[in-house]
Structure formats: C-alpha cells, structure tokens
Amino acid sequence: MKKLFIIVAIVIAAGAWWVSQQINRIKFEPLTLSETLVEVKPGQTFTQLCQLWQRSGALSSCFPYQLYSKLAPKLFSVQAGFYDVEGHTVLEAIAKISGGEQHSFSFTIIEGMPIWEVKKKLQQAPYLIQDTDVLTTQLGITQNSVEGWLYPDTYHYHGNDSAVRLLKRAHRKMQKVLEQEWQNRMPDLPLNTPYEALILASIIEKETGVKAEREKVASVFINRLRKGMRLQTDPTIIYGIGEHFDGDIKRKDMLEKTPYNTYRIDGLPPTPIAMPSQASIHAALNPATTDFFYFVASGDGGHHFSTTLTEHNKAVRKYILKQ
C-alpha cells in the first residue's frame, strides 16, 4: 500500500511538472498573424479561435493553451469584437480578448463639412454598419435636412457598430451646444429660432477660417438682416450647386434664382450649408458691434471689412482686381 502511494505521488508530481513545463513553454510564444486586427465573432469559443490561429500557423499548437484554460477558465472566456493584437504574445492576445479591450475606430466630422461629404466619409469608414437610410427620421430631425445638425468632432466606435448610432451622438451634441448658445445669446438679434442661428453659423463657418474675425463676419450678416439687405454670400451659391461645383462661381450661377442663392433671395437660405463649429454658433449669436456691411478676402487668409459700398468697391479693386 505504501509502495502504491509513493508511485501515485510520483505520477502526480511528474504530471504537475509536465503541466508547468507546458505552461512555461507558451508564456512568451508570439502570435504571428498576418493581420494585426482579430475579429472574434459572437458565440465563438476560445477553442474555435485557437484552432483558426493554429491552421494559419500563428501558433504551434492549441493543446497547451487548452490545458491552461482548464486551470484559468476566466482568462479564456473570449468576448466578441475586434482586437488589435500587433506585437502580442498568444497569452497577451487572449487576455485582451477575454477582457473585452476592443480596438477603437474613429470617425471625424470636420468643421464646415457638408452632409454629402459626411455620408461619403461614412461609407468609407471601416467595420461600420451602413444603416443611414432615412436620416432625418432616424435622428428625429423635424426639418427636411440633416445639414448643420451634426457636431464637428471625433467620435470613437467599435467594429460592427451602427452608423446611425454614431450620428445620433453627433446630433445630440449639436443640439446641446446650440441650446446652450441660444440661451446665452445677445438680445434683439434678427434671428427668431435656434435653427436660424444654426443656418447663419454655417455660413460664417464657410466664410472665414480665421477664428479672431468670426464675430466681425457675423456682424456684417446681422447688420444686413436688420437692414433687410440680401446676404450676398458666395458659399451659399456653392452649396446650391452641390457636388458638381468646379471651383469657379460663374455669372450665370449668381443670376440663377435658387433657394440658396443669397444674391437673389431675401434673408437666410432654407437650411444650413455645412456643419458649424461651436465658435461659429457663438459668433452668430454674439456678433461684434460694428457698422460693417461688406467684407472681401484680403489675400492673407483674412478679410477687409467696409462700412460703405464705395469703400467696399475700393477694397475689391485693391485686393481682388489688384488695381
């Protein structure tokens, strides 16, 4: 009996030593996948994932890992998603996958970007479900257009997330910013609703890239609205032309009466013409107090502002016609 006990003890000790040797052997084994991004599908088990890796030659054998999984089952309870495993050992990759440390993709809406560009960019976004069929309804927008309603920012998402869910975050943020700025607006502006402020902000966004002059640009448009003057702003014409704009506003474009040709229509266009920044929204609702009614590009990235048409024409000759 004593002999049998000793034999059993030796066998157990030998088995434990062999198991420890197997575990030690795999501690630093690199995961040599051709792709750095691993997709774990819903319902996929560690064994299924490991077998895929073994078939592709990414690791030597699944057996030591299956053995280890009996000792540490929580470590091998994988979660669905996309994981960046570049430079990882097999065990590091497994720990990341079981911990749900998914790779984060990013999508950026740039200030001044129109909705057609946002949609085009969405279609190129990796691993994003394209489900933007009826965006105004899906986002709960009461106007006829999504234009202007998405806040420019970088939004992070995981693989197989919904494009609509991502845009809902951008829409909620724009609603919050617009409401906040509307509550803190300058009194007695010729803007009746937050939506009108959004429209004007989008025009300001497209008119200047110089942060310091946004309020001055806003003052020109506010002064014109107060006087009943047409806005006469080129970016609205360009928006009306759309994706086919070739970079040159022609005389016929300025003469054509469209809902967005502010040389031919009174007041604001029917919708925003781009996604405005908070700075442009703030400028629209808190313009500088000036007597300016005109401005022209000064050639250095900024603008020259004028009070009278005579002064403006002189600035046009200087900066545009080079006379």
Side-chain angles (χ1 to χ4, degrees), residues 35-53:
E35 300 290 334
T36 61
L37 211 59
V38 167
E39 180 183 8
V40 179
K41 299 182 183 298
Q44 195 170 35
T45 64
F46 160 71
T47 298
Q48 292 169 331
L49 184 64
C50 191
Q51 287 171 349
L52 284 174
W53 289 349

Side-chain angles (χ1 to χ4, degrees), residues 102-228:
Q102 292 191 54
H103 178 69
S104 180
F105 299 91
S106 63
F107 181 81
T108 301
I109 299 173
I110 299 169
E111 296 171 355
M113 186 178 276
I115 185 61
W116 67 265
E117 282 190 19
V118 175
K119 287 181 176 179
K120 188 174 180 180
K121 194 173 180 181
L122 271 176
Q123 291 167 358
Q124 298 166 353
Y127 305 107
L128 191 62
I129 296 172
Q130 302 297 324
D131 55 354
T132 55
D133 300 324
V134 230
L135 260 185
T136 48
T137 303
Q138 289 168 313
L139 299 182
I141 293 171
T142 55
Q143 290 81 19
N144 293 327
S145 173
V146 179
E147 194 66 82
W149 275 119
L150 304 175
Y151 189 79
D153 204 349
T154 296
Y155 299 90
H156 297 281
Y157 66 94
H158 290 148
N160 292 331
D161 270 357
S162 153
V164 166
R165 190 157 56 239
L166 184 152
L167 293 184
K168 279 182 177 178
R169 286 155 53 201
H171 177 51
R172 284 195 298 269
K173 190 165 184 180
M174 181 59 87
Q175 285 179 303
K176 183 179 179 180
V177 167
L178 182 59
E179 178 59 27
Q180 176 186 336
E181 294 293 344
W182 181 257
Q183 293 301 325
N184 295 300
R185 69 190 183 279
M186 184 184 288
D188 302 321
L189 293 172
L191 300 170
N192 298 313
T193 65
Y195 190 61
E196 288 186 0
L198 193 66
I199 295 172
L200 182 56
S202 72
I203 297 172
I204 296 166
E205 189 70 52
K206 298 300 286 186
E207 276 287 9
T208 182
V210 180
K211 294 181 180 179
E213 68 174 26
R214 280 190 174 110
E215 281 76 13
K216 283 166 71 174
V217 170
S219 75
V220 170
F221 293 132
I222 291 294
N223 289 342
R224 281 177 164 263
L225 288 171
R226 281 180 174 145
K227 285 280 188 180

